[in-house]
Amino acid sequence: ATERTLSIIKPDAVAKNVIGQIYARFEAAGLKVIAARMQHLSQREAEAFYAVHKERPFFKDLVGFMVSGPVMIQVLEGEGAIAKNRELMGATDPKKADKGTIRADFADSIDANAVHGSDAPETAAAEVAFFFPGLAIYSR
Ligand code: CMP
């Protein structure tokens, strides 16, 4: 089915000037960028976005990293977009990411791991609505 997923190009990849290279991978895989915005997240926004991880030991470092520079936020649409984007990204820890994935090629560490992508239909809907509330209203 056609799906939408929320993608974030994180501060490390924005600083490396590889937004275009990452977008090219989305496009080559048949994912269409249907909404996008560059934004420097506030502490509050980053904490709210990652609220599900609030109790995890890495939460503070994760939020600190996400507010360290601008990010590029986009909604990707396409057939099986959620799983397709996760395949393109590779494993969360770049050391475990398959060759040729975005994280294998552009990420440095588990925090500076280049990209975020929604992991399931429910989180995709919530994450798209978090950053692009208008889109959620008109989806499907
Ligand atoms: P992301 O897909 O953005 O979702 C949560 C982020 O927390 C994850 O990518 C990693 O960058 C970061 N993180 C740091 N440590 C861990 C860990 N042990 N397990 C999962 N995510 C982690």
Side-chain angles (χ1 to χ4, degrees):
T2 300
E3 293 176 338
R4 289 175 177 178
T5 190
L6 195 279
S7 159
I8 302 176
I9 300 179
K10 296 189 180 186
D12 58 317
V14 172
K16 279 183 182 163
N17 199 25
V18 293
I19 293 172
Q21 291 188 58
I22 293 172
Y23 269 36
R25 292 178 185 216
F26 296 153
E27 292 170 358
L31 296 177
K32 185 171 190 178
V33 176
I34 62 162
R37 164 170 91 245
M38 187 178 266
Q39 189 177 332
H40 196 143
L41 299 177
S42 69
Q43 184 85 12
R44 273 187 65 186
E45 286 168 325
E47 286 175 356
F49 180 74
Y50 280 119
V52 292
H53 296 304
K54 207 165 46 200
E55 306 305 329
R56 308 286 289 275
F58 57 81
F59 183 68
K60 198 163 171 278
D61 285 348
L62 167 63
V63 169
F65 177 67
M66 291 301 286
V67 304
S68 68
V71 297
M72 190 72 195
I73 309 162
Q74 45 282 326
V75 178
L76 305 176
E77 186 178 78
E79 187 65 27
I82 298 164
K84 200 174 269 182
N85 183 41
R86 290 183 70 78
E87 258 173 58
L88 291 176
M89 291 193 298
T92 305
D93 182 350
K95 288 190 297 247
K96 295 176 185 152
D98 287 341
K99 215 168 151 249
T101 60
I102 292 168
R103 284 167 170 158
D105 290 344
F106 300 119
D108 299 318
S109 71
I110 198 162
D111 281 310
N113 68 347
V115 279
H116 166 82
S118 309
D119 62 2
E122 302 72 42
T123 47
E127 291 179 0
V128 167
F130 183 91
F131 283 117
F132 299 96
L135 273 184
I137 292 166
Y138 297 108
S139 68
R140 300 283 154 85

